[in-house]
Amino acid sequence: MPHVARLASLCPSELLLIHVADGWVARHYDDLKLAESDEMKADRDYLLQQAAALGAQGLQVRIHLALGNPPTEILKAAEQEQCDLIAMTTHGHRFLGDLLHGSTITAVRHKSHIPILLVRAAAV
């Protein structure tokens, strides 16, 4: 977030924070008319916390909790909202990790017509 916040503060920007809940409930939420899962609630709370922190820095921020396949939902939201840039964090998976877990970044970068900024996630 610090890199995105600095970049957004350099030019008049509005940030759209997107998180895609992709658990079983999230993927079937609409089809089966399910109740919101704990995962979805936690994801929304996280987005709200991040938006509040960025808002406290004087930035304009909106949030969007999408449900389903992360690459598909990121691209759909970015296009619908006419985003100028997609900023994503990378967790540093290597070839084997990407094969086992897939790579949201790889799928987004291959299909996006919007520029992408990749930032290494902070070590925890």
Side-chain angles (χ1 to χ4, degrees):
M1 286 296 184
H3 296 295
V4 172
R6 267 186 251 128
L7 184 60
S9 69
L10 294 175
C11 53
S13 301
E14 179 181 42
L15 298 173
L16 174 64
L17 302 181
I18 301 171
H19 179 78
V20 182
D22 65 345
W24 190 89
V25 171
R27 288 180 182 263
H28 301 285
Y29 181 75
D30 289 326
D31 298 338
L32 301 176
K33 308 287 189 247
L34 299 172
E36 200 170 75
S37 69
D38 289 340
E39 171 201 17
M40 293 163 62
K41 292 174 187 176
D43 292 342
R44 182 174 287 104
D45 287 344
Y46 174 77
L47 283 173
L48 289 168
Q49 290 171 5
Q50 294 301 312
L54 292 166
Q57 297 176 44
L59 299 171
Q60 289 185 298
V61 184
R62 292 182 297 125
I63 67 166
H64 176 69
L65 178 62
L67 310 175
N69 181 309
T72 301
E73 295 303 321
I74 290 168
L75 290 167
K76 183 167 62 174
E79 289 185 21
Q80 285 175 346
E81 297 292 331
Q82 299 178 337
C83 294
D84 297 318
L85 178 70
I86 298 172
M88 300 177 71
T89 56
T90 175
H91 299 284
H93 293 157
R94 296 286 186 249
F95 179 72
L96 185 56
D98 287 343
L99 283 177
L100 294 173
H101 306 293
S103 173
T104 298
I105 288 172
T106 299
V108 169
R109 76 180 177 88
H110 282 294
K111 295 178 182 173
S112 178
H113 301 291
I114 300 167
I116 301 170
L117 170 67
L118 299 179
V119 179
R120 168 116 21 204
V124 226

